């Protein structure tokens, strides 16, 4: 069955390989076992039910809390020619009835519903006549009273589940503490052995917390180096959203607001503009974003503190879903903490106790001096093993040594003096870099001694230096036009009586190869930007014609690979990430025309050698369990393999078990080393396994008076199987 799943992954969805845990989860679901999945946003949860939905004979019902999420998912599935629909209040009566008729005609594979729709008597009667093979609960943390987003309707899903006694239940969430996970399992009556917990570490997200000093200026600085990038800025209140939206629009940014005070129609319109790349930035309260599937969000900024770690984690999870480097900046002040504390004080009893614990855990994260991933992972019950992630402000602070910026400061101060202290930082940077803009030339500033003496730095670095000089008191900024004035302290620098030291913003620091998922660093750093922009334009045109988001056609990752490999035939387009047989047929010709035309006009050749390597790599890739089995038998330990493949030990155990079941031998001695049981206890487990069928772990667990955990039992089970297979 997993072979068929892989076939769907490659040919329908156009992906080379499963991400960590996806294959195990799909196998578990296809074995008709109830399954709980905790996987971070961007980890690939959707495929865990979408692929089984294509393999099961009957219907897959997906419970989802938000209309926007359903709409987005269904639009994407329809791009793959997968029959999927949703039933919710956004449909007209005619559309609603049309979808119901398609359901009655057995034409549908996936049905998306809000919990309140599913609880309606009409819906339950409709589904009573359907063969429901898979019942999926997305955002399952809403079930738990200990979660940050508890919804009573979700608690009632256990009753509806009884309507489909023969169906498998799959519950998924991105944010769940150990306590919430246990609550979900208790409510849904899931077995421990059918829980899949992926790492909460999103390696491609750069995490930064900055003291909130002048938040508007800090935001403008942050956005200055992220022109045309897609991003979300979260604010605490509606008022703050509106104020920041006005300021950013005034500064020329492509931006819209989103908060509960706007009409539903306007909220939906602004959200749609963002998803479809018609605007770059959304300024929003926490009302925005749950379930938004937009892979190319390059940054998430918290203008104000979030209420708790779960909200923060869920919100930053909206960045970098395509696996490319994305930035997460949080502006922190004690006054923001006091606002949150004020609202907590209005609560009572258990609710107040939960909120206070959430705030305490958040403060640990914000005020830590160690790697930010340590307290973040710890909150979700995971230990972060590395000393240095290389992708947070604290880990990079070692490299961010204070620099002597005196020479550059003197250049800037001199240029400000020679232009009579009448201009802002942007203009001064232009003069320093020898700009030929009309304003610079008409003012005669191409004739002054400081013209074109600052080419050692990019324009944005000069802007950041100006901010630093203002902050340290060497410059003041005129409020109305932003003109820079030299203070007495600044004059001392000009005369060589004082030096300037500081650290420019490090949030753009280049990261290791490890920080980029699925697309090699070489592709990300060296794709042809001109061709990429042309492909983006075609993608937008096709998306607008079909009224779908651009990423539903192809994600940015796909276009980057096209603009790197320059494939000029359909055969060579197939290995490109995200191009499956369905999309090749739909869009192959459109995109190949642009690539071929660009290559002819610019005398660029197809990257044939690298494309062949990519094809060979895909062919040699094989099943993960085969690679793991061979490398294990070659002498690698289970710990080593877990680190190499970026998964937990338990996942390696499962792959080795599968390798064994396929008729291969594995060395037993290496398995024992993965167990922490004493020799006496291990022999006790083996004695029980000799008497009880090995696959019946639950019975073994009971026979041992529940004294050995399931994770240990799985290790010994594999050892027992490997030993008896010799």
């Amino acid at each position: 069955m997993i072979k068929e799943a892989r076939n769907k992954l490659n040919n329908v969805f156009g992906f080379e390989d499963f991400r960590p845990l996806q294959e195990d989860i799909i196998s578990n679901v296809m074995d008709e076992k109830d399954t709980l999945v905790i996987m971070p946003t961007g980890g690939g949860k959707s495929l865990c039910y979408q692929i089984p939905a294509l393999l099961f004979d009957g219907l897959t019902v997906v419970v989802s809390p938000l209309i926007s999420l359903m709409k987005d998912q269904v639009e994407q599935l329809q791009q793959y020619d997968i029959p999927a629909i949703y039933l919710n209040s956004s449909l007209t009566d005619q559309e609603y009835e049309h979808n119901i008729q398609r359901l009655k005609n057995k034409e549908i594979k996936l049905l998306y519903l809000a919990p309140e729709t599913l609880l309606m008597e009409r819906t339950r009667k409709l589904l009573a006549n359907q063969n429901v093979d898979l019942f999926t609960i997305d955002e399952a943390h809403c079930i738990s009273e200990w979660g940050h987003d508890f919804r009573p309707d979700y608690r009632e899903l256990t009753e509806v589940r009884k309507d489909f006694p023969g169906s498998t239940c799959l519950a998924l969430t991105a944010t769940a503490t150990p306590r919430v996970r246990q609550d979900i399992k208790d409510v849904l009556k899931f077995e421990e052995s059918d829980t899949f917990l992926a790492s909460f570490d999103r390696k491609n997200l750069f995490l930064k917390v900055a003291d909130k000093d002048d938040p508007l200026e800090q935001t403008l600085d942050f956005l200055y180096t992220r022109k045309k990038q897609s991003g979300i800025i979260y604010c605490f209140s509606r008022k703050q959203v509106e104020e920041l939206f006005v300021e950013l629009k005034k500064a020329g940014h492509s931006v819209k607001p989103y908060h509960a005070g706007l009409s539903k129609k306007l909220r939906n319109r602004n959200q749609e503009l963002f998803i479809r790349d018609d605007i770059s930035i959304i300024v929003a309260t926490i009302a925005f974003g749950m379930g938004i599937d937009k892979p190319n969000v390059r940054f998430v900024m918290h203008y104000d503190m979030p209420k708790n770690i779960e909200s923060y984690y869920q919100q930053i999870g909206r960045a970098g879903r395509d696996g490319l480097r994305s930035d997460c900046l949080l502006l922190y002040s004690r006054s923001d903490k006091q606002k949150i504390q004020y609202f907590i004080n209005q609560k009572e009893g258990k609710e107040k106790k939960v909120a206070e614990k959430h705030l305490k855990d958040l403060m640990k994260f914000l005020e830590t001096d160690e790697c930010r991933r340590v307290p973040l992972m710890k909150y979700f019950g995971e230990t972060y093993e590395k000393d240095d992630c290389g992708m947070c402000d604290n880990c990079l602070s070692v490299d961010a040594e204070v620099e002597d910026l005196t020479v550059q400061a003197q250049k800037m101060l001199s240029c400000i003096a020679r232009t009579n202290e009448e201009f802002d930082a942007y203009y001064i940077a232009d003069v320093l870099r020898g700009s030929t803009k009309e304003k610079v030339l008409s003012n005669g500033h191409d004739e002054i001694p400081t013209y074109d003496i600052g080419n050692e730095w990019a324009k944005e670095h000069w802007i950041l230096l100006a901010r630093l000089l203002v902050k340290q008191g060497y410059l003041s900024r005129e409020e109305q036009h932003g003109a820079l004035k030299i203070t007495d302290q600044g004059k001392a620098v000009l005369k060589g009586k004082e030096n300037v030291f500081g650290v420019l913003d490090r949030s753009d620091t280049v990261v290791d190869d490890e920080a980029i998922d699925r697309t090699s660093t070489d592709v990300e750093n060296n794709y042809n930007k001109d061709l990429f922009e042309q492909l983006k334009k075609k993608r937008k045109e096709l998306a607008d014609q079909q009224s779908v988001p651009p990423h539903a056609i192809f994600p940015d990752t796909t276009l980057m690979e096209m603009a790197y490999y320059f494939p000029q035939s359909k055969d060579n387009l197939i290995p490109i990430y995200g191009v499956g047989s369905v999309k090749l047929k739909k869009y192959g010709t459109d995109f190949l025309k642009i690539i071929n035309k660009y290559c002819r006009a610019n005398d660029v050749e197809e990257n044939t050698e690298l494309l062949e390597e990519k094809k060979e790599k895909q062919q040699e890739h094989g099943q993960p369990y085969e690679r793991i089995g061979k490398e294990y038998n070659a002498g690698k330990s289970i710990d080593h393999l877990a680190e190499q493949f970026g998964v937990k030990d338990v996942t390696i155990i499962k792959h080795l078990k599968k390798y064994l079941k396929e008729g291969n031998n594995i060395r037993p001695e290496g398995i024992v080393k993965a167990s922490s049981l004493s020799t006496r206890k291990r022999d006790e487990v083996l004695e029980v396994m000799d008497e009880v069928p090995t696959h019946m772990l639950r019975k073994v667990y009971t026979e041992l008076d529940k004294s050995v955990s399931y994770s240990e039992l799985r290790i010994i089970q594999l050892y027992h199987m490997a030993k008896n297979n010799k």
Side-chain angles (χ1 to χ4, degrees):
M1 189 61 81
I2 201 65
K3 193 173 181 182
E4 293 173 46
R6 182 168 287 277
N7 182 272
K8 297 291 183 193
L9 180 81
N10 299 152
N11 297 323
V12 177
F13 294 98
F15 300 138
E16 293 172 26
D17 205 355
F18 286 112
R19 294 197 215 168
L21 290 186
Q22 281 182 331
E23 187 175 350
D24 296 327
I25 293 161
I26 290 167
S27 294
N28 207 58
V29 171
M30 294 311 299
D31 287 343
E32 299 182 9
K33 294 177 182 175
D34 292 338
T35 307
L36 172 61
V37 175
I38 295 95
M39 185 180 280
T41 304
K45 291 190 294 296
S46 301
L47 280 181
C48 296
Y49 61 81
Q50 288 170 350
I51 287 179
L54 299 181
L55 299 176
F56 279 130
D57 294 328
L59 179 71
T60 291
V61 173
V62 183
V63 181
S64 175
L66 284 179
I67 287 171
S68 58
L69 176 60
M70 295 182 216
K71 187 172 182 291
D72 196 70
Q73 293 270 0
V74 168
E75 283 176 344
Q76 286 193 60
L77 289 168
Q78 287 170 350
Q79 286 297 314
Y80 295 111
D81 291 343
I82 296 168
I85 59 169
Y86 54 84
L87 294 176
N88 60 41
S89 58
S90 72
L91 298 171
T92 64
D93 290 345
Q94 191 178 353
E95 289 169 334
Y96 204 97
E97 289 307 318
H98 175 68
N99 282 353
I100 284 177
Q101 197 53 53
R102 289 185 69 195
L103 202 58
K104 286 178 177 176
N105 294 343
K106 313 288 184 191
E107 297 172 19
I108 300 303
K109 292 300 291 179
L110 287 110
L111 168 65
Y112 286 78
L113 297 163
E116 54 271 20
T117 306
L118 181 56
L119 291 168
M120 289 163 56
E121 195 60 37
R122 178 191 180 188
T123 312
R124 292 175 75 168
K125 280 182 182 175
L126 175 68
L127 293 176
N129 298 316
Q130 295 286 324
N131 173 27
V132 178
D133 278 334
L134 181 59
F135 181 55
T136 300
I137 303 171
D138 203 4
E139 308 292 349
H141 60 272
C142 296
I143 287 172
S144 173
E145 289 181 279
W146 282 97
H148 68 287
D149 196 21
F150 171 60
R151 300 188 181 203
D153 283 344
Y154 259 73
R155 208 79 169 178
E156 292 180 48
L157 293 177
T158 50
E159 287 304 308
V160 181
R161 204 185 149 200
K162 293 172 186 174
D163 295 351
F164 326 118
S167 69
T168 304
C169 185
L170 170 63
L172 309 107
T173 180
T175 52
T177 61
R179 187 166 197 169
V180 170
R181 294 200 288 272
Q182 192 56 53
D183 202 16
I184 295 169
K185 283 185 279 191
D186 290 345
V187 171
L188 295 176
K189 298 179 173 59
F190 278 8
E191 295 293 332
E192 177 68 33
S193 57
D194 296 318
T195 298
F196 294 84
L197 178 63
S199 172
F200 282 89
D201 184 17
R202 292 281 309 283
K203 294 177 183 177
N204 62 314
L205 299 187
F206 182 90
L207 308 179
K208 178 173 181 177
V209 177
D211 288 334
K212 188 190 279 191
D213 177 23
D214 183 342
L216 177 58
E217 284 298 315
Q218 287 171 287
T219 303
L220 291 170
D221 286 350
F222 183 74
L223 297 179
Y224 183 76
T225 54
R226 291 163 180 81
K227 289 184 175 72
K228 294 184 182 177
Q229 288 188 6
S230 187
I232 306 167
I233 303 176
Y234 283 104
C235 298
F236 190 79
S237 67
R238 300 175 191 182
K239 183 172 179 273
Q240 186 63 74
V241 167
E242 288 294 343
E243 287 175 0
L244 184 57
F245 158 66
V246 169
E247 290 295 336
L248 295 186
K249 192 175 180 187
K250 203 192 295 179
H253 291 284
S254 169
V255 60
K256 288 288 180 188
Y258 188 105
H259 57 75
L262 300 173
S263 69
K264 187 178 178 183
K265 186 179 178 182
L266 190 54
R267 285 202 308 272
N268 290 343
R269 180 175 167 274
N270 289 351
Q271 181 170 291
E272 199 73 5
L273 288 169
F274 179 66
I275 288 171
R276 300 199 174 182
D277 287 345
D278 291 318
I279 60 164
S280 298
I281 302 165
I282 278 279
V283 182
T285 58
I286 56 166
F288 177 80
M290 188 174 175
I292 294 298
D293 188 11
K294 182 174 163 61
N296 65 334
V297 174
R298 290 275 70 85
F299 65 85
V300 169
M301 179 179 178
H302 284 85
Y303 194 84
D304 301 306
M305 262 174 67
K307 291 179 182 176
N308 51 57
I309 285 189
E310 281 171 81
S311 296
Y312 170 74
Y313 184 81
Q314 190 178 58
Q315 286 154 13
I316 64 169
R318 285 154 198 156
R321 293 189 183 195
D322 52 12
L324 303 178
R325 153 74 184 256
S326 303
D327 293 310
C328 305
L329 171 65
L330 189 157
L331 301 182
Y332 161 58
S333 72
R334 299 296 292 188
S335 63
D336 282 350
K337 185 205 170 190
Q338 286 158 9
K339 281 184 204 169
I340 294 171
Q341 188 65 59
Y342 172 79
F343 285 104
I344 289 173
N345 292 340
Q346 313 306 307
K347 303 178 189 290
E348 292 179 355
K350 184 180 176 183
E351 193 185 2
K352 184 177 181 182
K353 188 179 172 187
V354 171
E356 281 179 337
K357 185 184 184 306
H358 282 165
L359 180 58
K360 188 178 175 185
D361 289 328
L362 176 64
M363 295 310 295
K364 281 182 192 171
F365 168 74
L366 296 177
E367 296 182 343
T368 186
D369 291 326
E370 61 184 342
C371 169
R372 294 210 181 272
R373 280 170 167 78
V374 173
L376 191 60
M377 302 296 101
K378 187 179 179 182
Y379 179 81
F380 293 107
E382 181 179 344
T383 302
Y384 189 70
E385 302 290 355
K386 295 180 185 175
D387 295 327
D388 183 340
C389 72
M391 279 292 281
C392 79
D393 52 350
N394 285 346
C395 287
L396 287 185
S397 64
V398 177
D399 300 322
E401 292 174 7
V402 172
E403 301 171 70
D404 186 340
L405 300 167
T406 307
V407 173
Q408 283 81 11
Q410 285 173 333
K411 286 182 180 182
M412 175 163 267
L413 291 164
S414 177
C415 191
I416 292 165
R418 290 176 187 277
T419 53
N420 301 317
E421 300 179 290
E422 292 175 358
F423 300 94
D424 64 12
Y426 297 87
Y427 184 86
I428 296 299
D430 282 338
V431 175
L432 285 166
R433 287 181 45 76
S435 170
T436 54
K437 285 181 180 176
E438 188 184 340
K439 189 177 179 182
V440 173
L441 302 180
S442 64
N443 284 332
H445 290 151
D446 57 330
E447 303 293 335
I448 62 175
T450 53
Y451 179 76
D452 200 21
I453 63 165
N455 269 312
E456 75 271 25
W457 274 7
K459 183 176 178 178
E460 51 264 34
H461 288 125
W462 287 111
I463 306 296
L464 292 171
L465 177 63
R467 307 290 185 204
L468 184 140
L469 293 175
V470 170
K471 194 174 178 181
Q472 294 190 2
Y474 297 106
L475 289 173
S476 63
R477 188 190 288 109
E478 186 189 82
E479 210 166 298
Q480 194 174 357
H481 301 294
L484 298 171
K485 309 286 184 183
I486 304 170
T487 64
D488 289 342
Q489 197 179 342
K491 288 171 186 172
V493 173
L494 264 179
K495 291 173 184 173
K497 294 179 178 178
E498 189 170 335
N499 290 345
V500 176
F501 297 95
V503 178
L504 296 186
D505 191 319
R506 297 293 170 136
S507 60
D508 292 313
T509 307
V510 177
V511 296
D512 300 343
D513 293 358
E514 288 178 21
I516 310 300
D517 290 343
R518 301 190 310 282
T519 303
S520 71
T521 307
D522 200 40
V523 173
E524 189 183 349
N525 292 334
N526 296 303
Y527 68 91
N528 185 293
K529 305 232 176 2
D530 291 336
L531 177 55
F532 178 75
E533 288 303 322
Q534 289 182 34
L535 295 170
K536 265 179 81 175
K537 191 177 175 183
K538 170 53 73 173
R539 178 180 68 176
K540 184 77 173 89
E541 182 189 309
L542 292 167
D544 287 348
Q545 284 170 10
Q546 300 176 56
S547 293
V548 296
H551 68 260
I553 307 291
F554 285 126
D556 282 3
T557 321
T558 303
L559 303 190
M560 279 182 186
E561 289 205 358
M562 287 180 184
Y564 176 80
Y565 291 105
F566 304 102
Q568 291 171 39
S569 69
K570 286 195 173 182
D571 279 349
N572 284 342
L573 203 56
I574 290 171
I576 299 298
Y577 175 88
V579 179
S581 56
V582 177
K583 289 194 176 182
L584 179 71
K585 191 176 175 183
K586 276 187 176 184
Y587 307 119
T589 304
D590 286 319
F591 285 89
L592 282 171
K593 274 182 190 172
I594 294 168
I595 297 167
N596 282 309
K597 185 180 176 183
Y598 182 86
C599 290
R600 281 194 304 272
N602 295 278
D603 198 23
V604 176
E605 291 186 7
E606 185 177 67
N607 223 327
T608 313
E609 195 176 320
L610 288 174
L611 271 168
E612 286 305 316
E613 281 178 23
K614 190 171 171 63
K615 282 183 190 174
E616 283 171 26
K617 190 179 173 186
Q618 287 174 8
Q619 287 162 5
E620 291 169 6
H621 228 35
Q623 302 275 34
Y625 71 84
E626 290 174 348
R627 304 202 308 276
I628 286 167
K630 285 172 185 172
E631 293 197 38
Y632 171 78
N633 279 340
K636 287 187 178 177
S637 70
I638 287 167
D639 279 351
H640 184 112
L641 289 166
E643 188 174 341
Q644 179 183 330
F645 286 88
V647 296
K648 301 283 187 186
D649 287 7
V650 66
T651 305
I652 300 298
I653 297 290
K654 284 177 183 175
H655 282 305
L656 291 175
K657 188 177 172 184
K658 196 175 295 183
Y659 186 68
L660 194 63
K661 282 183 174 178
E662 289 292 318
N664 304 291
N665 289 325
I666 59 172
R667 53 188 183 91
E669 63 278 6
I671 303 165
V672 177
K673 290 176 183 174
S675 171
S676 60
L677 295 180
S678 66
T679 308
R680 179 186 65 81
K681 199 68 182 173
R682 188 180 71 221
D683 289 345
E684 191 182 326
V685 175
L686 287 168
E687 280 177 30
V688 175
M689 286 185 174
D690 285 336
E691 300 298 324
V692 177
T694 319
H695 69 277
M696 297 176 69
L697 275 193
R698 197 173 184 182
K699 196 164 184 187
V700 175
Y701 182 62
T702 309
E703 287 286 327
L704 292 162
D705 296 325
K706 302 180 181 179
S707 61
V708 181
S709 70
Y710 272 103
S711 55
E712 283 290 350
L713 288 179
R714 286 193 197 98
I715 296 169
I716 305 303
Q717 177 194 46
L718 181 64
Y719 174 70
H720 188 273
M721 290 165 70
K723 209 173 168 189
N724 293 328
N725 200 46
K726 290 283 185 185

